[in-house]
Amino acid sequence: MELYNTLALLIVVAAVFGYVNHRFLKLPGTIGLMVLALVSSLLAIGLGKLGVSWVLTVSQLVRGIDFHTVLMQVMLSFLLFAGSLHVDVRALGREGIAVAAMATAGTLLSTALVGTAFYYLLPLFGLPTDFIYCLLFGALISPTDPIAVLGILKEARIDKRLEIRIVGESLFNDGIAVVVFVSLFQIAQFGAEQATPAVIGQLFLHEAVGGIVLGAVLGYAGFWALRSIDHYQVEVMITLALVMGGTALAAALHTSGPLAMVVAGLIVGDKGRALGMSDVTREYLDKFWELLDEILNAVLFVLIGLEMLVLDISRTTLLVGVVGIVVVLVARWASVGLPLALLQRYYPFDRQTLRVLTWGGLRGGISVALALSLPESMPRDLLVGVTYVVVIFSIIVQGLSIGPLVKKLGLSTGEAPADAGH
């Protein structure tokens, strides 16, 4: 019953907050839910200090949720499949090299820049930290979160070419970041001799390449099954089985489940939609995955907000987090700008595009999940606290302002620049 009670709490809270946001606040869905959850958590913390008993019960329920397992092993696969179903594969193919450069070289560069900056900045706060732990933070905070990005870009009428770069990078760079994170984690735990270039190369091939290959096999198997029948109930169930079974298979094969689901979703969304479904099936499939996406998104962002109940963020950690926001944004600007500058001849971009790519690189649940997976033997409380500050700023401040920024720069479809002619 404890699992049921926890799920019931999350769904009830998400529904109530969703109603309050839609009726009164009218913020973008995911942002409104997280703001309400954060405010409620802070109020609950205050009531808890006054000795209100029910707050302790709720805190115990939240404490019992393994955020890393819930997101990385359960929710993420559904959310990535749902997100990739509607990506224009041909447009993604045209931007393929730029997306790949940002997802790989960009993630590695960001990890190095953030890690190095923190290594020199933390002693100024009286928190000297080993370089490997600083790099570990760089790895977990560098991937842009596809869930946050997809949810918020729906609200901003962004230019399609720019949107496909941001979405494409977000869908793929978490797989790269997880491999980098795991490699650095092995070095931190067992020493550099355990994480040789050969071991890291093998890990990358197994996780990233293996995940992409598995996703292609699953995607084409799903497409074949969808094309061979015309019965929307069974076809929706096939896609659900593809995600759940595919995730379990990826775990058993030790490959990247998220990357597998992205590739499978792209194939089913492209070939399956065009060649394997009737109009009725297409409509029901879209509505099913859109609804599931909305529910899981709501639960995820409520969960991020409620985690404040069980985190202990000191004033020093808060200050480091504020500095971290600046460091992460500068690293994002450099890690996007450098790969694209090298590809400028083939994928032209201007200063406005770089601004949107930098500000639109939102951090979210993936960073929080990776931080919470760190053991107590590492500087976990510090890294989790700083991650939380960066993620909350990213989702609320960047998420709310990306739409206005896109319009001001004239990169919104059908919008003219605000300062045109000046």
Side-chain angles (χ1 to χ4, degrees):
M1 279 299 288
E2 194 170 322
L3 176 62
Y4 177 81
N5 289 341
T6 304
L7 287 171
L9 170 73
L10 290 172
I11 293 290
V12 168
V13 170
V16 171
F17 287 173
Y19 176 83
V20 170
N21 180 56
H22 189 76
R23 182 83 190 271
F24 304 109
L25 297 184
K26 303 190 186 301
L27 292 170
T30 50
I31 298 175
L33 286 166
M34 201 177 87
V35 168
L36 286 166
L38 279 170
V39 171
S40 301
S41 294
L42 294 172
L43 287 172
I45 289 166
L47 291 171
K49 288 182 177 175
L50 294 173
V52 179
S53 59
W54 63 265
V55 173
L56 299 175
T57 307
V58 174
S59 296
Q60 282 301 112
L61 280 173
V62 175
R63 203 179 296 276
I65 300 169
D66 185 343
F67 189 102
H68 179 264
T69 302
V70 168
L71 176 61
M72 300 300 284
Q73 295 181 20
V74 181
M75 294 174 70
L76 189 58
S77 292
F78 289 98
L79 289 162
L80 290 177
F81 184 84
S84 57
L85 269 179
H86 298 98
V87 172
D88 185 338
V89 174
R90 285 163 186 79
L92 182 61
R94 287 193 292 273
E95 298 293 323
I97 295 174
V99 167
M102 289 191 294
T104 52
T107 302
L108 292 168
L109 181 58
S110 175
T111 298
L113 290 173
V114 173
T116 304
F118 263 74
Y119 180 67
Y120 289 106
L121 285 170
L122 285 174
L124 302 179
F125 295 90
L127 297 166
T129 305
D130 290 349
F131 187 52
I132 188 64
Y133 298 133
C134 295
L135 281 176
L136 207 52
F137 173 73
L140 68 87
I141 206 68
S142 290
T144 55
D145 192 315
I147 302 154
V149 170
L150 285 164
I152 289 159
L153 282 184
K154 287 177 188 174
E155 310 287 334
R157 294 174 58 195
I158 196 167
D159 174 74
K160 287 297 173 190
R161 187 173 183 186
L162 184 53
E163 181 185 355
I164 207 75
R165 283 188 186 180
I166 298 174
V167 171
E169 180 209 2
S170 295
L171 286 170
F172 284 102
N173 74 356
D174 63 301
I176 306 301
V178 169
V179 174
V180 175
F181 178 84
V182 170
S183 303
L184 291 169
F185 185 84
Q186 284 185 347
I187 295 172
Q189 214 166 22
F190 306 115
E193 64 278 1
Q194 295 292 320
T196 61
V199 169
I200 292 170
Q202 187 180 3
L203 182 68
F204 179 81
L205 282 171
H206 209 129
E207 280 274 343
V209 179
I212 290 169
V213 171
L214 177 62
V217 171
L218 290 170
Y220 278 104
F223 163 59
W224 174 83
L226 292 170
R227 192 173 61 173
S228 61
I229 61 169
D230 184 16
H231 190 276
Y232 76 84
Q233 293 98 327
V234 176
E235 290 179 79
V236 169
M237 198 157 33
I238 285 170
T239 59
L240 190 59
L242 190 152
V243 174
M244 296 181 78
T247 302
L249 183 58
L253 296 172
H254 302 290
T255 61
S256 172
L259 279 177
M261 289 307 104
V262 168
V263 175
L266 289 172
I267 293 168
V268 170
D270 182 47
K271 288 192 172 296
R273 187 186 301 280
L275 305 170
M277 302 177 198
S278 64
D279 290 341
V280 173
T281 298
R282 203 175 296 120
E283 184 183 356
Y284 275 98
L285 191 79
D286 285 346
K287 285 180 177 176
F288 172 82
W289 281 102
E290 187 180 326
L291 182 61
L292 195 60
D293 186 40
E294 288 292 326
I295 292 170
L296 290 177
N297 253 309
V299 169
L300 172 62
F301 283 89
V302 164
L303 194 51
I304 291 174
L306 291 179
E307 279 285 323
M308 279 297 291
L309 277 169
V310 296
L311 291 181
D312 185 19
I313 299 178
S314 67
R315 190 174 298 174
T316 306
T317 304
L318 195 61
L319 284 172
V320 176
V322 172
V323 173
I325 291 167
V326 179
V327 170
V328 169
L329 282 171
V330 171
R332 170 70 181 170
W333 174 81
S335 63
V336 167
L338 189 59
L340 288 182
L342 295 173
L343 295 169
Q344 172 78 12
R345 183 177 171 185
Y346 309 101
Y347 297 92
F349 77 103
D350 52 26
R351 193 175 296 173
Q352 284 100 323
T353 300
L354 184 56
R355 283 183 195 169
V356 175
L357 283 166
T358 301
W359 198 248
L362 306 178
R363 272 64 181 177
I366 290 171
S367 294
V368 174
L370 292 175
L372 289 170
S373 73
L374 296 171
E376 295 291 341
S377 58
M378 298 181 184
R380 183 179 186 273
D381 290 348
L382 171 65
L383 298 185
V384 169
V386 175
T387 301
Y388 238 79
V389 175
V390 173
V391 166
I392 288 167
F393 175 87
S394 179
I395 292 173
I396 296 176
V397 179
Q398 291 175 238
L400 282 175
S401 56
I402 187 68
L405 176 66
V406 165
K407 287 179 183 174
K408 185 181 178 186
L409 296 175
L411 296 170
S412 179
T413 52
E415 296 284 342
D419 56 352
H422 294 281

